Amino acid sequence: MQTYDVLIVGGGPAGLSAALVLARCRRSVLVVDSGEPRNAPSRALHGYLTRDGMAPGEFLRLGREEVAGYGVEIIDAKVSGARCLDEDGAAFEVTLQNGTKLRSRKLLLATGIRDRLPDVEGAWDYFGRGLYYCPYCDAWEHRDQPLATYGKGSAAVGPAVALTTWSDDVTACTDGEPISGDERAWLEANGVALREEPIERLEGDDVLQRICFEDGPALPCRALFFNTSRTQHSPLPVSLGCACDEHHEVVTNDDKSTCVPGLYIAGDADGDTEFIVVAAAEGARAAVAINHELQEAEQAPRPTKAESQ
């Protein structure tokens, strides 16, 4: 069985960026990708210099093409499990759903997170077409239009105040959950409207146009930003023994290493700023750390001052 220098699970911006750096370090790299990117419903990515407005699928196609030019292998498959073969982090085995086993000296997980959409009729229909999770990624396209936030109770309040950067017409929707008097005052002081009725459904044609409630009039809305919980997209970080925080995000060091020797995490899974450009940067940072670790295992140690005399 071939043993790769590095096996990367996840072929998004973080995984492909790491693959590029590692391949340029003459490392043998295999990327395994399930084809389920977090931003698949999005029509365009934003905030990435020179790539702003590009379709996410086209971005990934170009990334794959670029790393393949350096000899990176890519497998379209789902991973069913992984384990450490060496307690010092010198060997890993990854199993695909079809039973194929792959081995590597180091393992990088760029598996990301999965969003939990609001439990409201129409949420999946308008995800990426008026229903979003990140105002930095999508609010500019809806500037000066009616905007709203979704969250249970107080979860809708802070994001609604933040949206006043992009529009003067903002409503916080708490979906039947009450908020405190202080939170009401904060919304009022910032000119943010409040709708506390349970939401019945989202409506529109090709894009979101209104929010319908169980009671009261419908709310015209061109973009609804939700603030709900998220989960790890893959069970691999937990099954391999990674530490997670109270938000279920993987705890990593500055170089993207984890508490498991030889195992690295890059991208949204670690809870850093969730921009594509940041995920790509994290992938590059992890790649440099991985290469240094491989170099230390391969090269003779630098002599101490006493030894060199």
Side-chain angles (χ1 to χ4, degrees):
M1 182 185 300
Q2 178 182 355
T3 298
Y4 293 87
D5 288 326
V6 187
L7 195 153
I8 300 172
V9 182
L16 292 177
S17 178
L20 177 62
V21 174
L22 287 163
R24 287 179 56 83
C25 294
R26 306 186 70 182
R27 300 297 177 185
S28 57
V29 181
L30 173 66
V31 177
V32 181
D33 183 58
S34 66
E36 299 174 337
R38 181 187 183 191
N39 64 351
S42 299
R43 296 185 174 186
L45 62 87
H46 296 288
Y48 199 130
L49 193 63
T50 78
R51 293 295 180 264
D52 190 79
M54 176 178 284
E58 177 65 5
F59 179 85
L60 295 180
R61 185 192 70 78
L62 291 174
R64 283 186 168 213
E65 183 179 281
E66 196 165 276
V67 300
Y70 285 95
V72 173
E73 297 181 43
I74 300 176
I75 296 177
D76 293 308
K78 291 187 177 182
V79 173
S80 61
R83 64 189 180 108
C84 304
L85 299 178
D86 186 308
E87 62 181 14
D88 295 325
F92 292 86
E93 183 179 81
V94 169
T95 304
L96 305 184
Q97 276 192 341
N98 64 7
T100 300
K101 296 186 182 300
L102 306 165
R103 289 187 177 179
S104 62
R105 297 167 65 191
K106 303 297 174 185
L107 180 61
L108 170 62
L109 301 182
T111 47
I113 59 175
R114 186 188 301 276
D115 296 293
R116 286 181 175 170
L117 268 62
D119 186 17
V120 173
E121 180 184 340
W124 281 105
D125 296 331
Y126 295 105
F127 189 28
R129 297 187 295 118
L131 179 65
Y132 311 105
Y133 56 82
C134 176
Y136 288 95
C137 299
D138 295 292
W140 193 90
E141 282 65 35
H142 299 282
R143 63 199 183 279
D144 299 324
Q145 297 176 10
L147 308 181
T149 59
Y150 173 94
K152 288 292 187 178
S154 59
V157 176
V161 174
L163 275 181
T164 59
T165 296
W166 290 275
S167 177
D168 293 330
D169 187 350
V170 179
T171 302
C173 301
T174 66
D175 198 23
E177 297 290 333
I179 61 174
S180 69
D182 288 344
E183 289 170 325
R184 289 173 181 273
W186 189 26
L187 292 175
E188 185 176 351
N190 285 280
V192 177
L194 174 64
R195 294 292 297 268
E196 295 181 280
E197 310 97 311
I199 296 176
E200 185 174 73
R201 64 186 179 277
L202 305 181
E203 288 186 346
D205 43 32
D206 185 51
V207 296
L208 178 65
Q209 292 179 312
R210 69 189 69 86
I211 301 171
C212 298
F213 301 87
E214 291 184 3
D215 297 299
L219 176 71
C221 180
R222 295 297 177 267
L224 174 62
F225 293 88
F226 60 91
N227 182 21
T228 58
S229 62
R230 297 93 55 82
T231 60
Q232 288 291 321
H233 188 273
S234 168
L236 291 178
V238 173
S239 67
L240 285 164
C242 291
C244 294
D245 62 19
E246 66 274 16
H247 303 294
H248 307 291
E249 292 162 344
V250 182
V251 177
T252 59
N253 299 310
D254 289 343
D255 63 358
K256 315 316 296 180
S257 61
T258 69
C259 62
V260 180
L263 176 63
Y264 291 75
I265 301 281
D268 291 349
D270 67 355
D272 202 344
T273 304
E274 296 168 10
F275 292 174
I276 291 179
V277 67
V278 173
E282 286 191 7
R285 177 178 290 180
V288 171
I290 291 170
N291 187 58
H292 283 170
E293 195 170 321
L294 291 171
Q295 287 174 329
E296 289 178 356
E298 297 164 344
Q299 299 168 357
R302 183 174 182 173
T304 63
K305 186 174 181 180
E307 292 172 336
S308 61
Q309 291 178 343

